[in-house]
Structure formats: C-alpha cells, structure tokens
Amino acid sequence: MRISKLIATGIFSGAVLAASLKVVRKITGNPSETLLYNIGYIPFIKRYKHIPGVGIGFHYATCVLSTLSLYYVLKSFRLEKNIFPYVLVYSVGGGALYFLSALTNKPPRYNDVAAWNYWTVSHALFGIAVGSIVKKLN
C-alpha cells in the first residue's frame, strides 16, 4: 500500500476519532474530547500550547504516525488486512494513554470512568476506520 494512502487513512480516521468524541461531548457534556488536543503534559511540545492549531496538529500527526507504524508492524506478520489487530491495539493503547490525563489539570480527570469509556470506544472506532480502509485499499 502506498504511503500516501496510509497518510490519508490516518487523517480520515483521525477525523472519525475527533468527530466521535465531539458527538459524545455534544450529547453528554463529557469532556473526554479535550484530551485529544491537550499537549500540556508533553515536555518539549507543551511550550507551544498557546499557538492555535498545535493541539490539532499533534492529534493528526499522532494518527498518521500510528497508522503508518501499525500497518508496517502488522504487514511483517501478514496481518495488515485484518481489522481486528487495529481495533485491539488502538483500543488498548488508547485506553492506557487516557491516564496521561493525570499529568494535567485540564479535564477529563484520570478517574472519570465515563470519559475513559468514551475515549476507549472512540479509539476502537479509529481502529475500525483504519483497518477497514486498509483492507479495502490494499
């Protein structure tokens, strides 16, 4: 699969992730969406948090890099066309990364179970999007 297609897959799937958390926020008021763009706990990057768009750029860069990385790891095992590993890795990884929220004073709180559930399910949707697109285009 061409790298340009993988980059587009990461961007599109990142939009799916962001949209799913935006819908959660609109319906429930839960602030789990905030964590997507919060860079206040990342040592080098946090000094640029005042610049508009840095958080969004970080979100999409992370989506693209994780799409590229996981695709090539799965390809080495000939599993790149299987959707399940994408869903598993992004759900478990996203669920674990949620607890970085403990390192910042912005919501959501690290012990907000509802926010963790929304966050983890949204990352599963990201995995479904990435895996489905890779399967279709590969």
Side-chain angles (χ1 to χ4, degrees):
M1 185 168 188
R2 294 178 57 128
I3 199 163
S4 60
K5 288 183 180 180
L6 288 169
I7 292 170
T9 298
I11 292 168
F12 176 81
S13 299
V16 168
L17 172 58
S20 67
L21 286 169
K22 183 166 287 301
V23 167
V24 164
R25 185 174 207 145
K26 293 281 185 190
I27 292 172
T28 69
N30 189 284
S32 54
E33 173 193 23
T34 305
L35 191 54
L36 278 182
Y37 312 112
N38 185 356
I39 57 171
Y41 56 86
I42 304 168
F44 174 73
I45 299 173
K46 73 180 178 182
R47 70 177 75 163
Y48 302 105
K49 67 183 178 183
H50 65 284
I51 300 172
V54 171
I56 292 170
F58 179 76
H59 164 67
Y60 282 103
T62 302
C63 291
V64 168
L65 289 173
S66 68
T67 298
L68 290 165
S69 301
L70 187 54
Y71 172 82
Y72 287 111
V73 167
L74 293 176
K75 186 174 180 173
S76 70
F77 294 101
R78 295 189 177 143
L79 293 171
E80 76 276 11
K81 295 179 188 176
N82 188 339
I83 297 170
F84 179 73
Y86 293 98
V87 176
L88 179 66
V89 169
Y90 293 132
S91 298
V92 172
L97 288 174
Y98 173 83
F99 295 102
L100 290 173
S101 62
L103 302 175
T104 181
N105 59 359
K106 282 188 170 186
R109 299 293 308 146
Y110 71 92
N111 59 355
D112 183 338
V113 175
W116 181 83
N117 284 323
Y118 296 135
W119 177 264
T120 303
V121 169
S122 293
H123 279 76
L125 292 174
F126 175 77
I128 290 168
V130 172
S132 298
I133 294 168
V134 167
K135 184 175 183 171
K136 182 176 175 86
L137 296 179
N138 212 348

